[in-house]
Amino acid sequence: MYNVAAHMTAAMRVMSSLTLTLFFSIICCSLTEKLSNASSPNIIIMLMDDMGWGDLGVLGQPSKETPYLDAMAAQGMLFPNFYTANPLCSPSRAALLTGRLPVRNGFYTTNGHARNAYTPQEIVGGISKDEILLPQIMKKKGYVSKIVGKWHLGHRPQYLPLKNGFDEWFGAPDCHFGPYNSSIRPNIPVYNNSEMLGRYYEEFKIDRKTGESNLTQMYLLEGVDFIRRQTEAQRPFFLYWAPDATHAPVYASKPFLGQSQRGRYGDAVMELDYSVGHILLWLKRLGIENDTFVFFTSDNGAALTSGPNEAGSNGPFLCGKETTFEGGMREPAIAWWPGHIKAGTVNFQLASVMDLFPTSLALAGLSPPDDRALDGLDLTPVLLNHPHKQGNRPIFYYRGNELMAVRIGQYKAHYWTWSNSLEEFNKGINFCPGEEVPGVTTHDQKEHTLQPILFHLGRDPGEKFPISVSSHEYQKVLSRISPVVEQHKSTLVPGVPQLNMCDVAVMNWAPAGCEKLGKCLNVPKSQPWKCDWPH
Amino acid sequence: MYNVAAHMTAAMRVMSSLTLTLFFSIICCSLTEKLSNASSPNIIIMLMDDMGWGDLGVLGQPSKETPYLDAMAAQGMLFPNFYTANPLCSPSRAALLTGRLPVRNGFYTTNGHARNAYTPQEIVGGISKDEILLPQIMKKKGYVSKIVGKWHLGHRPQYLPLKNGFDEWFGAPDCHFGPYNSSIRPNIPVYNNSEMLGRYYEEFKIDRKTGESNLTQMYLLEGVDFIRRQTEAQRPFFLYWAPDATHAPVYASKPFLGQSQRGRYGDAVMELDYSVGHILLWLKRLGIENDTFVFFTSDNGAALTSGPNEAGSNGPFLCGKETTFEGGMREPAIAWWPGHIKAGTVNFQLASVMDLFPTSLALAGLSPPDDRALDGLDLTPVLLNHPHKQGNRPIFYYRGNELMAVRIGQYKAHYWTWSNSLEEFNKGINFCPGEEVPGVTTHDQKEHTLQPILFHLGRDPGEKFPISVSSHEYQKVLSRISPVVEQHKSTLVPGVPQLNMCDVAVMNWAPAGCEKLGKCLNVPKSQPWKCDWPH
């Protein structure tokens, strides 16, 4: 409890100085001399949790409640064709930090065909020691790295952030969706660096009834505090800011609760929007906005099955989280770097969360590892306005171990379709509520490899009108896509799957630091089993 | 043919002066002295045809191809909660010009229950002589009025624009979707004021194969020419600019064809966007931008059944044209009036196309007629930033003679649901492609008056998650909505239905002016029948 209080006091100090600042006022004084290390700009990746493409005002949310993100887009570059690497949190995050598809970096399962897998606390695996994470390479140029928020690449000691390149961490290894009472399964711990500070629903409250929690405030303060410290020390930094307020159970702090037209989910979005705005304001206040590259995106599409109260919007796109339709994998994405990225641009480049790996390295003046296949592309030519440099790159839509679909240009070919099983669907788990495209949103795993279902995403972003197989267009396009897919498949070497085994003994019973807090729980006997991934 | 050529020459003159202007450059010289008649600003209503809420970049179209409309919103006021009065063209347009629901102004049918009706060329009826149209009242303050584009309030002589308050007209009385060959039914005439100039697919080409047509160019030139003439004459004007390029068969002129990521529909949107930008530029060029109120909207939701090639997008909303779901009736809407409307504002006021009637009158310093029920509200307090003046007004969703649904605040109650008949649906006419909300997108006319289906449009803009009937929220909200509906129904006096009778003899066989052109066709014998309205 002492640690939490000390931490919160530090945070409160930042807070009160924050409240002294008038938002969007012009601030001319900088706390430290401006870093003009153009070859090593600071890098901030803001990764939201289950936030959908359609949750931003600038992307058509009817409530238009994201003024700071909309301003960020107006000052930066918007990517309407930006994709995650997987429609689920853990693999998506592993892909971001490795620049590689989950099927390469091991964040998938072979327990079932085309199943989404992640890192619940009974998972045995985590990020493989053979993978190289972004902050590990950034170190070579003196970058100090911090993750704030959700990790989700494994919670056993060897998998935690400080063992994988990060210098600092404030957040949790797993999701906050439960358990809520440590009696049967341990509540998820919240870490400060390599030791736990407390647990969700204990020291770190989320009121399940009202949705009230100060976690986003804490993540904001932790981020700002880190930025200030590195700026004062004149060290280049990498901040991976990963709040999770928009993942069910969604939460917001008191000033935001009840403010949104959209209910509690909207409250959470408003607080995140405000926090993004606050971080950008601090960059300006510190005089480092021209030396800091900021990228905002989300880990996967909105979790429509939690709708309407705890789900976001995927705008005009089909289905949501867990699926390889556009709603599951197309993400809001904004790049911001005043003085470098032209304000108010919209870039239609097909881009991926995996691109943030080589792009960040390129910005830092570093080379990506040359001993492994990388799926990300360096976006700096696009960001710095050398168009068409990465013109014809494909987007691969994986679900677990299966390549479900491919996008090239405006065309998307589905090789497999599946929303979820009829059995699950009949229990009320619906990844496509109110949507049903015959032969597309199938409830059995349907193979189309001999005759893929083809959509033109320009004319038909909602994947509602398959292109006729007998058309000239279909034949022509497929002859362009097929060799790309064949090439990809024939050269792909899958990594060792890390998400196959589960065990109650590996749960967060006694995380490092629990002794000091008197919060260690008894570890049960090991009883490993093959994890069950229902969808 | 001579008339057409003369007309086109005048148009070309405007065109070449247009091309001299650099778009978005700052223009300081004005052709005439600036009108500073603040009490009688010019009024321009731009009404699109079948354009959907989601077709604008600022409202989330992924292709972001509407830079001029997005700029208009950034310089003006965006209304995300703006509605038409009917999900079909003719009644929507009649409502705009009368400020009254179609069920009052007669633009509905009693031939069937809850059927959409409009004015095909076999219709006998049109706008009733008992209705008072906006330009008729505007005359009292010296306004000169012109309609450019589609009229659709009846094509028989007594129903045409110059008989109903307009001083000028360039356009067609009916839709351009056929016939294509005058041999069996006459092709639709295009009028210049009170005489025909030619016919669609004859003098006024629309290439059905390529989609090429210069009509939007003509409508742009006609609009600009009118604005210039009135400005030079220092007369206040009302321009009702109603192009129809986004109605199937969609068309665009050569410079726009093939430019959009969205295919031909997107080409049409790009040309309309460009044209809107051009008109606003002309207002600036003429120095009358502070004296001209401009409102942009659409007549109904995107016609999804024409998708994907000839349909727009309704963004996150359910279904489209012909339905009383949000996709059928929520419209893109932007008000623009530099120096009066605060730039870059978003106003969540529930508003309606019928509001343009009393709003235009209020701006002109005129009173609406006091001898009849008006459904529109004066939006000037909202436009001029006196918020909450029109707080709790309901939105009524009619289909023909039936009140299908009501919105109050964020809540919408459906009293009847229907997309279209199963018989029609099985023929491939689908108003909700890829969407199916059980019990909501019904294929029979389903009555819910005893237990309306309730949605919260803030949490659930897509109408996917009905609020549980047993919830406290349901009971509470319904007790608020029910008296409003009862009051509306008990006091509503339906007008005489104008859209019941059809007759081949009334078609555009021999419109005024056909003699001079040698384009009169033989009028067949009158054989009236009750029009059949299938949905």
Side-chain angles (χ1 to χ4, degrees), chain A residues 285-298:
Chain A
R285 183 179 187 162
L286 294 167
I288 58 170
E289 76 273 28
N290 294 332
D291 305 301
T292 307
F293 171 78
V294 186
F295 200 94
F296 173 93
T297 188
S298 179

Side-chain angles (χ1 to χ4, degrees), chain B residues 167-331:
Chain B
D167 301 296
E168 298 186 14
W169 178 31
F170 179 79
D174 305 290
C175 205
H176 66 275
F177 61 54
Y180 307 112
N181 181 329
S182 284
S183 63
I184 303 170
R185 294 151 55 91
N187 284 0
I188 303 299
V190 174
Y191 280 76
N192 188 31
N193 298 323
S194 51
E195 293 197 348
M196 77 179 276
L197 271 185
R199 295 182 191 266
Y200 282 141
Y201 306 97
E202 297 174 28
E203 291 75 13
F204 294 88
K205 307 280 186 212
I206 302 172
D207 188 314
R208 291 168 64 199
K209 203 173 158 191
T210 65
E212 185 180 341
S213 173
N214 292 326
L215 278 162
T216 299
Q217 298 277 351
M218 290 186 206
Y219 294 150
L220 168 60
L221 300 173
E222 282 290 331
V224 170
D225 179 61
F226 174 72
I227 292 168
R228 283 173 54 137
R229 283 189 283 109
Q230 305 319 317
T231 307
E232 280 169 23
Q234 304 209 21
R235 284 185 297 236
F237 64 81
F238 167 49
L239 171 61
Y240 174 38
W241 193 70
D244 60 358
T246 40
H247 190 298
V250 300
Y251 60 78
S253 66
K254 206 159 195 171
F256 292 92
L257 277 180
Q259 297 303 308
S260 167
Q261 299 173 44
R262 305 176 67 193
R264 193 176 294 173
Y265 182 87
D267 297 340
V269 171
M270 287 175 91
E271 184 162 19
L272 290 168
D273 176 66
Y274 170 87
S275 302
V276 168
H278 228 110
I279 289 173
L280 299 189
L281 179 74
W282 264 101
L283 298 180
K284 289 177 186 166
R285 184 180 185 162
L286 294 168
I288 57 168
E289 75 273 29
N290 295 331
D291 305 301
T292 308
F293 171 78
V294 186
F295 201 93
F296 173 94
T297 189
S298 179
D299 64 346
N300 47 247
L304 301 184
T305 194
S306 305
N309 295 327
E310 309 220 87
S313 164
N314 296 317
F317 301 121
L318 186 63
C319 303
K321 179 179 177 179
E322 305 273 7
T323 78
T324 47
F325 303 112
E326 291 298 288
M329 292 189 58
R330 209 192 288 209
E331 305 304 327

